[in-house]
Structure formats: structure tokens, C-alpha cells
Amino acid sequence: MRTDNFPKELLAMINGQALNKNNTGMSGSEVYESDRIVLKIHSSADCYRDEIRMLKWLDGLLPVPKVLYNCVFAGKSYLLMTKMQGKMACDAAYLSSPEVLIPLLADALKRLWSVDISCCPVKRTADVELAEIAVRSETLKTTPFMLEEGFSSPAELLDYLSCHRCEDELVFSHGDLCLPNIFLTGEKLSGFIDTGDAGIADKWRDIALCWRSLKHNTDGTYGRYEGVDPDRLFDELGIKKDSKKLRYYLLLDELFH
Ligand SMILES: Nc1ncnc2c1ncn2[C@@H]1O[C@H](COP(=O)(O)OP(=O)(O)O)[C@@H](O)[C@H]1O
Ligand SMILES: [Mg+2]
């Protein structure tokens, strides 16, 4: 890793610790980690503003990394934070033990819902997201899932989602509750990372992404593990599968690709 172009304060905080590259993420950040710290770098300015805002707001409310240092320097965004201990929920040890993993995922969702949203500073409801998407409608991409679901363009999907709003059941929502963003230690939740899309939203926003991530990590899309039924997540949550809301939030997520 080249560090000669890093801000001086950042170099002082890293203090010579060896950082290894982590290639898990898919959002364009470069991620480097030691045993204790994680550094995210993005080639665009002010890219971690929302993530940092939520990490600071969540400090003391949920187990999330502590922000150690952040800056925008020479057009790049830097975020240095503490390392979440444990393993990602997509670790082979968990994917091969669904009887341990699925209750822990349900626990993760319930922990999020236990946060008091009355003073949460960010709203990420479908109305807010649809309004944001509408502003950048000419940059939206067509995805295979959209086509499979019968939409010929992002504009058609945006129109459908705007006309078929479901009633909101508002909770604190992580916003990208896929398995690599949930950390587990033994049979306990360690915490959440990657909080840039967190805020008040319908509870099915996180259920949908968690369910799909469990499915894709086990059905051969990313990896294959026998005997994993993603629908067991609903049993653990004690709620009935709402296929309409599940589909709605998976389709909404397609407009963020
Ligand atoms: N604070 C952290 N503690 C432990 N691992 C982390 C931390 N932040 C990032 N990572 C690792 O880097 C990966 C990508 O970082 P993430 O913040 O999720 O970015 P992306 O938006 O690219 O998914 C994570 O899935 C995880 O493996
Ligand atoms: Mg992530």
C-alpha cells in the first residue's frame, strides 16, 4: 500500500501498523485492515459523510466501529475506524451452521429495531429514496433482476414503485443489511459496519436485503451450502413472510446499482 500521499495526521494514527487489503466490499472503497483498525479510502470527495454521521449517532446505541479519524484530502475520502471483532456472517463457519446463523441474523434485526428512532437524524423511507432516485433518473441502470421481474427500464420500475407504496412500519434500518456487514463472535452478535444508508425506514427494507443475502450466499450465487432455507429467518423473527413487501424492497434496491 502506498502511503506517501496520505495526510500526515492519518499516518501518525496508523503509526506504522501493517495494513492488509480486504477485498470483500463492492462499493468502490479500498479497505485496509490490521488486527485493530480499518482504513477505508474512496477516490471521490466527501464519500463517507453519511456513514460517519450514523457511526457517531449510533455510538452507545448499537455496537458499531468508533471513528478514529476522517478527512477529505487531495480529492479522496479517508475513514479510519476501529475494527469490528469476530467474523462476518458470510464466513464459511456460519454458512455451514444455519442453526446458529439464522437466529443470530434475526437477533441482529431485532437489535436494530430496538433503537429509539424518535431522535434519529436521518430518514431513509421509500418516499425519501424514490424522491432521490427521481432526481438522478437519467443515470439509472437496467439490471437483470429488473428484467426478470418484468420491468423493461429503470424508469418503468421507478414509476411502479412510486404508484405501489406499501404502508410504512417505521424502525431504525441499517440500509445494507447483507451478511458481510454483520459481524458475529461465537453465538453472539458483535456488531454492524457500513452504515452509510442507515436511518428511519420500513422494517422490510432490512429484512429483504438480509433474506436475499442469506439466499445468495448459500444457493450458489456466491457460494453453495446445503440445507439452508432462507425462509427460516421469518420463523426466527416470529413474523409471516410478506412476499409483496419483500419484492418491493428488493426492487427498490435495484435502483441503487
Ligand atoms: N470496522 C470494520 N471492522 C471489520 N471489518 C471491516 C470494517 N469496515 C470494513 N470492514 C471489512 O471491509 C469490507 C468492506 O467494507 P464496507 O464498509 O462494508 O464497504 P462496502 O461499502 O464496500 O461494502 C467489509 O465487508 C469487512 O470485511
Ligand atoms: Mg459492506
Side-chain angles (χ1 to χ4, degrees):
M1 182 186 43
R2 228 186 110 195
T3 58
D4 53 337
N5 52 354
F6 279 14
K8 282 202 184 68
E9 299 93 323
L10 177 60
L11 281 174
M13 304 236 16
I14 295 172
N15 194 23
Q17 290 180 73
L19 295 176
N20 298 310
K21 193 155 199 247
N22 176 316
N23 291 312
T24 312
M26 296 195 278
S27 70
S29 288
E30 282 177 58
V31 180
Y32 299 93
E33 58 188 18
S34 76
D35 295 348
R36 289 181 291 133
I37 56 173
V38 172
L39 173 65
K40 280 175 77 167
I41 307 173
H42 200 279
S43 55
S44 66
D46 219 13
C47 173
Y48 300 128
R49 190 190 49 208
D50 295 340
E51 179 167 353
I52 292 164
R53 183 181 190 194
M54 290 317 292
L55 285 175
K56 290 185 173 171
W57 186 75
L58 286 167
D59 189 21
L61 299 176
L62 281 179
V64 292
K66 278 201 188 300
V67 177
L68 300 173
Y69 175 81
N70 69 279
C71 73
V72 176
F73 182 74
K76 287 188 175 186
S77 302
Y78 294 84
L79 167 56
L80 184 73
M81 62 190 138
T82 54
K83 183 167 180 163
M84 189 57 73
Q85 294 306 302
K87 292 178 164 45
M88 290 185 286
C90 57
D91 190 278
Y94 286 105
L95 293 173
S96 50
S97 309
E99 68 291 351
V100 174
L101 174 63
I102 298 176
L104 285 173
L105 295 177
D107 183 44
L109 280 155
K110 289 177 187 168
R111 286 291 292 277
L112 292 163
W113 302 342
S114 73
V115 173
D116 177 5
I117 53 172
S118 60
C119 46
C120 176
V122 178
K123 219 171 170 184
R124 300 293 323 172
T125 56
D127 286 340
V128 169
E129 298 207 312
L130 290 169
E132 265 181 27
I133 293 161
V135 171
R136 53 176 178 81
S137 59
E138 62 295 334
T139 65
L140 299 174
K141 295 193 190 95
T142 305
T143 67
F145 182 60
M146 256 179 224
L147 298 174
E148 259 167 51
E149 290 294 314
F151 299 94
S152 60
S153 68
E156 197 180 312
L157 175 57
L158 177 58
D159 188 47
Y160 171 85
L161 294 173
S162 305
C163 296
H164 292 80
R165 284 284 286 114
C166 322
E167 206 179 309
D168 280 334
E169 220 179 313
L170 297 178
V171 292
F172 181 75
S173 160
H174 176 279
D176 188 11
L177 199 65
C178 55
L179 273 48
N181 289 337
I182 304 171
F183 275 69
L184 308 170
T185 306
E187 301 205 2
K188 282 214 166 91
L189 174 76
S190 334
F192 303 95
I193 62 160
D194 206 1
T195 54
D197 296 319
I200 301 169
D202 184 83
K203 76 196 303 187
W204 285 85
R205 181 182 187 234
D206 281 350
I207 297 174
L209 298 200
C210 187
W211 175 84
R212 181 181 61 186
S213 183
L214 176 59
K215 185 169 181 297
H216 283 175
N217 274 285
T218 53
D219 69 0
T221 308
Y222 302 138
R224 185 175 293 285
Y225 291 82
E226 300 305 326
V228 182
D229 175 7
D231 283 0
R232 272 200 45 214
L233 183 61
F234 305 109
D235 302 335
E236 291 298 333
L237 287 170
I239 58 180
K240 216 171 137 254
K241 181 177 181 180
D242 185 336
S243 300
K244 208 172 131 203
K245 278 199 161 187
L246 203 62
R247 179 171 181 265
Y248 186 92
Y249 282 96
L250 292 180
L251 285 170
L252 179 57
D253 188 59
E254 288 304 289
L255 295 173
F256 288 92
H257 285 274

